């Protein structure tokens, strides 16, 4: 989830009607097995008044720019959304998408490991997104 911190700032810059107090980032469900944490990220936009498709497109473009747009099988992430209507122009929008982190844990702490990818130019594995 640490890698997602910049997403909220990115959305604030791209969506001028959205304020920080109206956008919340959560982990809502997850599992941990074999050193990996698979979880669902939820972005909650309160009192939203703009195009929900624009939000999804912006999230997808940011995830792609951060190399976080593929699932474990190498396919594009499935982004889902739901809304609760407040009035004819306003709704609360929830946008969900899966993420996965490699986590090394001991009794007192944990460490999130970046995913490694092969780099021909460097001749070895490097952290994903650093090329």
């Amino acid at each position: 989830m640490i890698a997602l911190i910049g997403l909220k700032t990115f959305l604030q810059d791209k969506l001028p009607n959205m304020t920080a107090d109206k956008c919340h980032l959560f982990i809502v469900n997850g599992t941990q097995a074999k050193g990996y944490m698979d979880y669902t990220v939820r972005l909650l936009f309160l009192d939203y008044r703009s195009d929900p498709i624009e939000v999804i497109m912006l999230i997808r473009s940011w995830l792609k720019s951060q190399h976080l747009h593929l699932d474990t099988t190498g396919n594009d992430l499935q982004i889902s959304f739901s809304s609760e209507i407040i009035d004819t122009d306003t709704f609360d929008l929830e946008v969900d998408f899966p993420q996965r982190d490699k986590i090394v844990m001991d009794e007192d702490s944990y460490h999130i490991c970046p995913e490694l990818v092969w780099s021909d130019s460097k001749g070895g594995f490097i952290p994903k997104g650093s090329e």
Side-chain angles (χ1 to χ4, degrees):
M1 180 148 160
I2 292 170
L4 299 171
I5 292 172
L7 177 56
K8 188 174 171 179
T9 305
F10 171 80
L11 291 171
Q12 284 176 267
D13 292 343
K14 297 291 184 181
L15 301 168
N17 295 332
M18 189 196 80
T19 59
D21 64 327
K22 298 289 185 174
C23 178
H24 304 280
L25 180 66
F26 302 103
I27 292 178
V28 293
N29 293 308
T31 59
Q32 190 280 324
K34 298 181 181 177
Y36 287 92
M37 173 110 25
D38 293 292
Y39 55 93
T40 300
V41 175
R42 175 167 292 159
L43 283 161
L44 173 62
F45 300 89
L46 299 172
D47 302 329
Y48 197 69
R49 295 175 185 258
S50 296
D51 181 4
I53 305 303
E54 180 182 13
V55 172
I56 292 168
M57 288 174 42
L58 288 170
I59 292 169
R60 183 171 299 283
S61 71
W62 185 87
L63 290 169
K64 191 170 187 174
S65 74
Q66 303 298 309
H67 305 282
L68 299 170
H69 64 292
L70 300 177
D71 64 16
T72 58
T73 65
N75 293 316
D76 277 339
L77 290 178
Q78 179 179 345
I79 297 176
S80 59
F81 69 96
S82 62
S83 63
E84 183 175 326
I85 306 301
I86 297 172
D87 60 38
T88 57
D89 297 321
T90 310
F91 53 94
D92 291 344
L93 176 66
E94 292 179 356
V95 179
D96 294 348
F97 56 90
Q99 285 291 282
R100 178 178 233 214
D101 290 329
K102 171 84 171 144
I103 299 180
V104 176
M105 294 186 228
D106 63 25
E107 291 181 18
D108 300 322
S109 64
Y110 69 93
H111 172 82
I112 299 174
C113 301
E115 184 178 344
L116 298 177
V117 294
W118 180 261
S119 170
D120 288 334
S121 63
K122 306 247 183 199
F125 286 99
I126 60 171
K128 190 174 189 178
S130 65
E131 57 279 355

